[in-house]
Amino acid sequence: MAGKDHPELKLRLTLRGGEWLGPGKADLLEGIAETGSISAAGKRMKMSYKRAWGLVEVLNGMFREPLVASSRGGAGHGGAELTETGHAVLRLYRRMQANAVSATEAEIAQLMQLTDIPDRK
Amino acid sequence: MAGKDHPELKLRLTLRGGEWLGPGKADLLEGIAETGSISAAGKRMKMSYKRAWGLVEVLNGMFREPLVASSRGGAGHGGAELTETGHAVLRLYRRMQANAVSATEAEIAQLMQLTDIPDRK
DNA sequence: CCCCGTTATCTCCGTCGGGATATAACGGAA
DNA sequence: TTCCGTTATATCCCGACGGAGATAACGGGG
């Protein structure tokens, strides 16, 4: 279920050439915060651990401080969690997305009217 | 020329699953409007004609009316131009982008401060 | 001392997007 | 009738992306 929820606006913020923050990395951060594990977060998004781990590595290198702190072994058999910076980045991205959506509602509505998609409201 | 201009915010508006409007198609539309040719517009963006033509085909199928009108042969040896709908879509996309940028300036500035990128201002 | 689940790495491999290239069609001009 | 530049379409091919799977390391618990 979870309806198709169209139209949908996605944002990609390019920090430097080749380094950017988009919906995928943001969702992964959120998944890590909720599951406490890189592999679990990746699995939830149907992506391989290799890919999830690679994204985390990139994320940690994009900012001054790492966004994800991970540990191996121990009582909890290892895991991962967001750092303070990680939470801050995720929060800022979500707010950025929300602001962008509300600031473009009018244009989106007009664009949708030019499509042949029936306006179910 | 053209400075790096970072950070940069890009928008992708998904109309239906698999059909979306983003920076690439928008720039292509703009290029066609300015050059009067699909191949010239594609070349300007360093993309093959095949790809440019494919994007135009998709664009024309996304809305009720085609966005690009093309012709072969004749006095001008063929060419392409934006339809009224094409101009409208491009204009709406540009306005959407501008609104989104100004609505997220604060978050973008805060995110940049978390990077190790020197703030040249 | 072995067990466990996760992190961390590596290698192999299928898929897919898109470039490169070739060819035909078009239709007015010369 | 030939020439021209563009649209339109097909085929071949390569590199990158990412999945699948194997392996090791970790470190507290039983």
Side-chain angles (χ1 to χ4, degrees), chain A residues 110-116, chain B residues 15 21 29 59-69 81-93:
Chain A
Q110 291 182 60
L111 280 167
M112 288 304 290
Q113 287 181 359
L114 294 176
T115 72
D116 52 3
Chain B
L15 305 179
L21 183 61
L29 284 179
L59 280 167
N60 280 343
M62 286 173 59
F63 296 87
R64 267 199 308 273
E65 299 173 13
L67 306 191
V68 177
E81 59 180 0
L82 296 198
T83 62
E84 203 56 42
T85 303
H87 277 110
V89 167
L90 178 58
R91 186 175 352 112
L92 285 168
Y93 181 85

Short mmCIF file of all heavy atoms in Angstrom, two decimals, chain A residues 110-116, chain B residues 15 21 29 59-69 81-93:
data_model
loop_
_atom_site.label_atom_id
_atom_site.label_comp_id
_atom_site.label_asym_id
_atom_site.label_seq_id
_atom_site.Cartn_x
_atom_site.Cartn_y
_atom_site.Cartn_z
N GLN A 110 0.38 23.31 -11.55
CA GLN A 110 0.21 23.74 -12.95
C GLN A 110 0.84 22.74 -13.92
O GLN A 110 0.29 22.46 -14.99
CB GLN A 110 0.84 25.12 -13.15
CG GLN A 110 0.07 26.23 -12.44
CD GLN A 110 0.68 27.61 -12.70
OE1 GLN A 110 0.77 28.05 -13.83
NE2 GLN A 110 1.11 28.27 -11.64
N LEU A 111 1.99 22.19 -13.53
CA LEU A 111 2.63 21.19 -14.39
C LEU A 111 1.76 19.95 -14.50
O LEU A 111 1.61 19.36 -15.57
CB LEU A 111 4.01 20.82 -13.84
CG LEU A 111 5.12 21.83 -14.15
CD1 LEU A 111 6.36 21.55 -13.32
CD2 LEU A 111 5.46 21.76 -15.64
N MET A 112 1.17 19.56 -13.38
CA MET A 112 0.33 18.36 -13.40
C MET A 112 -0.88 18.54 -14.30
O MET A 112 -1.34 17.60 -14.93
CB MET A 112 -0.12 18.02 -11.98
CG MET A 112 0.97 17.47 -11.08
SD MET A 112 1.80 16.01 -11.74
CE MET A 112 0.50 14.79 -11.60
N GLN A 113 -1.36 19.77 -14.36
CA GLN A 113 -2.53 20.02 -15.20
C GLN A 113 -2.19 19.88 -16.69
O GLN A 113 -3.07 19.71 -17.52
CB GLN A 113 -3.08 21.43 -14.93
CG GLN A 113 -3.79 21.52 -13.58
CD GLN A 113 -4.34 22.91 -13.33
OE1 GLN A 113 -4.18 23.80 -14.15
NE2 GLN A 113 -5.00 23.08 -12.19
N LEU A 114 -0.92 19.97 -17.02
CA LEU A 114 -0.52 19.83 -18.41
C LEU A 114 -0.32 18.37 -18.80
O LEU A 114 -0.11 18.05 -19.96
CB LEU A 114 0.78 20.61 -18.67
CG LEU A 114 0.66 22.12 -18.54
CD1 LEU A 114 2.02 22.79 -18.70
CD2 LEU A 114 -0.31 22.66 -19.59
N THR A 115 -0.34 17.48 -17.80
CA THR A 115 -0.21 16.06 -18.10
C THR A 115 -1.58 15.47 -18.37
O THR A 115 -2.60 16.15 -18.22
CB THR A 115 0.43 15.29 -16.94
OG1 THR A 115 -0.51 15.21 -15.87
CG2 THR A 115 1.68 15.98 -16.46
N ASP A 116 -1.58 14.20 -18.74
CA ASP A 116 -2.87 13.54 -18.96
C ASP A 116 -3.24 12.71 -17.74
O ASP A 116 -4.04 11.80 -17.83
CB ASP A 116 -2.79 12.66 -20.21
CG ASP A 116 -1.62 11.72 -20.14
OD1 ASP A 116 -0.92 11.72 -19.12
OD2 ASP A 116 -1.40 10.98 -21.10
N LEU B 15 6.40 12.67 -12.04
CA LEU B 15 4.98 12.80 -12.36
C LEU B 15 4.27 11.48 -12.12
O LEU B 15 3.24 11.41 -11.48
CB LEU B 15 4.80 13.24 -13.81
CG LEU B 15 5.54 14.52 -14.19
CD1 LEU B 15 5.31 14.85 -15.65
CD2 LEU B 15 5.07 15.67 -13.31
N LEU B 21 10.69 14.87 -14.49
CA LEU B 21 11.27 16.06 -15.12
C LEU B 21 12.39 16.57 -14.22
O LEU B 21 12.15 16.85 -13.05
CB LEU B 21 10.18 17.13 -15.28
CG LEU B 21 10.58 18.41 -15.98
CD1 LEU B 21 11.02 18.14 -17.41
CD2 LEU B 21 9.41 19.39 -15.98
N LEU B 29 15.50 21.20 -23.19
CA LEU B 29 14.43 22.02 -23.73
C LEU B 29 14.94 23.43 -23.99
O LEU B 29 14.68 24.01 -25.07
CB LEU B 29 13.25 22.08 -22.74
CG LEU B 29 12.34 20.85 -22.66
CD1 LEU B 29 11.25 21.05 -21.61
CD2 LEU B 29 11.71 20.56 -24.01
N LEU B 59 9.82 13.23 -23.34
CA LEU B 59 9.17 14.49 -22.97
C LEU B 59 7.84 14.65 -23.69
O LEU B 59 6.83 15.04 -23.09
CB LEU B 59 10.08 15.67 -23.30
CG LEU B 59 11.21 15.96 -22.30
CD1 LEU B 59 12.21 16.93 -22.88
CD2 LEU B 59 10.62 16.52 -21.01
N ASN B 60 7.85 14.34 -24.98
CA ASN B 60 6.62 14.50 -25.75
C ASN B 60 5.52 13.55 -25.29
O ASN B 60 4.34 13.83 -25.49
CB ASN B 60 6.91 14.27 -27.24
CG ASN B 60 7.53 15.49 -27.89
OD1 ASN B 60 7.46 16.59 -27.35
ND2 ASN B 60 8.15 15.30 -29.05
N GLY B 61 5.92 12.44 -24.66
CA GLY B 61 4.92 11.48 -24.20
C GLY B 61 4.43 11.74 -22.79
O GLY B 61 3.44 11.14 -22.36
N MET B 62 5.12 12.62 -22.08
CA MET B 62 4.77 12.86 -20.68
C MET B 62 3.58 13.78 -20.49
O MET B 62 2.91 13.72 -19.47
CB MET B 62 5.98 13.45 -19.94
CG MET B 62 7.08 12.46 -19.63
SD MET B 62 8.55 13.28 -18.96
CE MET B 62 7.84 14.06 -17.49
N PHE B 63 3.33 14.63 -21.47
CA PHE B 63 2.26 15.61 -21.33
C PHE B 63 1.18 15.39 -22.39
O PHE B 63 1.38 14.64 -23.34
CB PHE B 63 2.83 17.03 -21.42
CG PHE B 63 3.78 17.35 -20.31
CD1 PHE B 63 5.13 17.04 -20.42
CD2 PHE B 63 3.33 17.94 -19.13
CE1 PHE B 63 6.01 17.33 -19.38
CE2 PHE B 63 4.20 18.22 -18.09
CZ PHE B 63 5.54 17.90 -18.22
N ARG B 64 0.08 16.05 -22.21
CA ARG B 64 -1.04 15.85 -23.14
C ARG B 64 -0.63 16.25 -24.54
O ARG B 64 -0.98 15.59 -25.52
CB ARG B 64 -2.24 16.68 -22.70
CG ARG B 64 -3.23 15.94 -21.82
CD ARG B 64 -4.58 16.65 -21.82
NE ARG B 64 -4.42 18.06 -21.49
CZ ARG B 64 -4.41 18.54 -20.25
NH1 ARG B 64 -4.56 17.72 -19.23
NH2 ARG B 64 -4.26 19.81 -20.03
N GLU B 65 0.10 17.37 -24.64
CA GLU B 65 0.56 17.82 -25.95
C GLU B 65 2.07 17.75 -26.00
O GLU B 65 2.74 17.90 -24.98
CB GLU B 65 0.09 19.27 -26.16
CG GLU B 65 -1.42 19.41 -26.14
CD GLU B 65 -1.86 20.87 -26.19
OE1 GLU B 65 -0.99 21.72 -26.49
OE2 GLU B 65 -3.03 21.15 -25.93
N PRO B 66 2.64 17.51 -27.18
CA PRO B 66 4.10 17.44 -27.30
C PRO B 66 4.75 18.77 -26.89
O PRO B 66 4.15 19.84 -27.02
CB PRO B 66 4.31 17.14 -28.78
CG PRO B 66 3.04 17.52 -29.45
CD PRO B 66 1.96 17.28 -28.46
N LEU B 67 5.98 18.67 -26.40
CA LEU B 67 6.70 19.87 -25.99
C LEU B 67 7.61 20.37 -27.10
O LEU B 67 7.99 21.53 -27.12
CB LEU B 67 7.55 19.58 -24.74
CG LEU B 67 6.83 18.97 -23.53
CD1 LEU B 67 7.76 19.00 -22.32
CD2 LEU B 67 5.54 19.71 -23.25
N VAL B 68 7.98 19.46 -27.99
CA VAL B 68 8.91 19.79 -29.07
C VAL B 68 8.29 19.42 -30.41
O VAL B 68 7.81 18.30 -30.59
CB VAL B 68 10.24 19.04 -28.89
CG1 VAL B 68 11.18 19.33 -30.05
CG2 VAL B 68 10.91 19.42 -27.57
N ALA B 69 8.32 20.36 -31.34
CA ALA B 69 7.83 20.11 -32.70
C ALA B 69 9.04 20.07 -33.63
O ALA B 69 9.84 21.00 -33.64
CB ALA B 69 6.86 21.21 -33.13
N GLU B 81 11.59 23.04 -32.55
CA GLU B 81 11.29 24.20 -31.71
C GLU B 81 10.31 23.80 -30.62
O GLU B 81 9.65 22.77 -30.73
CB GLU B 81 10.71 25.33 -32.55
CG GLU B 81 9.43 24.94 -33.26
CD GLU B 81 8.86 26.08 -34.10
OE1 GLU B 81 9.49 27.16 -34.11
OE2 GLU B 81 7.80 25.91 -34.72
N LEU B 82 10.24 24.62 -29.59
CA LEU B 82 9.33 24.31 -28.49
C LEU B 82 7.92 24.72 -28.87
O LEU B 82 7.70 25.77 -29.48
CB LEU B 82 9.75 25.06 -27.23
CG LEU B 82 11.10 24.71 -26.60
CD1 LEU B 82 11.15 25.19 -25.15
CD2 LEU B 82 11.35 23.21 -26.66
N THR B 83 6.96 23.89 -28.48
CA THR B 83 5.56 24.26 -28.65
C THR B 83 5.18 25.23 -27.52
O THR B 83 5.98 25.51 -26.62
CB THR B 83 4.66 23.02 -28.56
OG1 THR B 83 4.80 22.47 -27.25
CG2 THR B 83 5.06 21.98 -29.58
N GLU B 84 3.97 25.68 -27.58
CA GLU B 84 3.49 26.56 -26.51
C GLU B 84 3.57 25.84 -25.17
O GLU B 84 4.03 26.39 -24.17
CB GLU B 84 2.04 26.98 -26.80
CG GLU B 84 1.65 28.28 -26.11
CD GLU B 84 2.62 29.40 -26.47
OE1 GLU B 84 3.01 29.52 -27.66
OE2 GLU B 84 3.01 30.15 -25.55
N THR B 85 3.15 24.58 -25.17
CA THR B 85 3.24 23.77 -23.95
C THR B 85 4.68 23.59 -23.51
O THR B 85 5.00 23.63 -22.32
CB THR B 85 2.60 22.38 -24.19
OG1 THR B 85 1.25 22.55 -24.60
CG2 THR B 85 2.63 21.56 -22.91
N GLY B 86 5.56 23.42 -24.48
CA GLY B 86 6.97 23.27 -24.16
C GLY B 86 7.53 24.48 -23.44
O GLY B 86 8.23 24.36 -22.44
N HIS B 87 7.20 25.64 -23.95
CA HIS B 87 7.65 26.87 -23.29
C HIS B 87 7.06 26.99 -21.89
O HIS B 87 7.74 27.40 -20.95
CB HIS B 87 7.27 28.10 -24.13
CG HIS B 87 8.22 28.40 -25.24
ND1 HIS B 87 7.91 28.23 -26.56
CD2 HIS B 87 9.51 28.84 -25.23
CE1 HIS B 87 8.96 28.57 -27.32
NE2 HIS B 87 9.94 28.94 -26.54
N ALA B 88 5.80 26.59 -21.77
CA ALA B 88 5.14 26.69 -20.47
C ALA B 88 5.81 25.77 -19.45
O ALA B 88 6.09 26.17 -18.32
CB ALA B 88 3.66 26.33 -20.60
N VAL B 89 6.10 24.55 -19.88
CA VAL B 89 6.73 23.59 -18.98
C VAL B 89 8.11 24.09 -18.54
O VAL B 89 8.46 24.04 -17.35
CB VAL B 89 6.86 22.20 -19.65
CG1 VAL B 89 7.79 21.30 -18.85
CG2 VAL B 89 5.49 21.55 -19.78
N LEU B 90 8.89 24.57 -19.49
CA LEU B 90 10.22 25.06 -19.15
C LEU B 90 10.14 26.24 -18.18
O LEU B 90 10.89 26.30 -17.19
CB LEU B 90 10.96 25.49 -20.43
CG LEU B 90 12.36 26.07 -20.22
CD1 LEU B 90 13.25 25.08 -19.49
CD2 LEU B 90 12.98 26.46 -21.57
N ARG B 91 9.22 27.14 -18.46
CA ARG B 91 9.06 28.31 -17.59
C ARG B 91 8.68 27.89 -16.18
O ARG B 91 9.23 28.36 -15.19
CB ARG B 91 8.00 29.25 -18.18
CG ARG B 91 7.85 30.55 -17.45
CD ARG B 91 6.86 31.49 -18.16
NE ARG B 91 6.43 30.99 -19.44
CZ ARG B 91 5.19 30.59 -19.70
NH1 ARG B 91 4.28 30.58 -18.75
NH2 ARG B 91 4.88 30.17 -20.92
N LEU B 92 7.73 26.94 -16.07
CA LEU B 92 7.29 26.48 -14.76
C LEU B 92 8.42 25.78 -14.01
O LEU B 92 8.60 25.96 -12.81
CB LEU B 92 6.10 25.52 -14.90
CG LEU B 92 4.78 26.22 -15.23
CD1 LEU B 92 3.72 25.20 -15.64
CD2 LEU B 92 4.30 27.02 -14.01
N TYR B 93 9.20 25.01 -14.74
CA TYR B 93 10.31 24.30 -14.08
C TYR B 93 11.33 25.30 -13.54
O TYR B 93 11.81 25.16 -12.41
CB TYR B 93 10.99 23.33 -15.04
CG TYR B 93 12.13 22.57 -14.39
CD1 TYR B 93 11.88 21.41 -13.67
CD2 TYR B 93 13.44 23.03 -14.46
CE1 TYR B 93 12.90 20.72 -13.04
CE2 TYR B 93 14.47 22.36 -13.83
CZ TYR B 93 14.20 21.21 -13.12
OH TYR B 93 15.22 20.55 -12.50
#
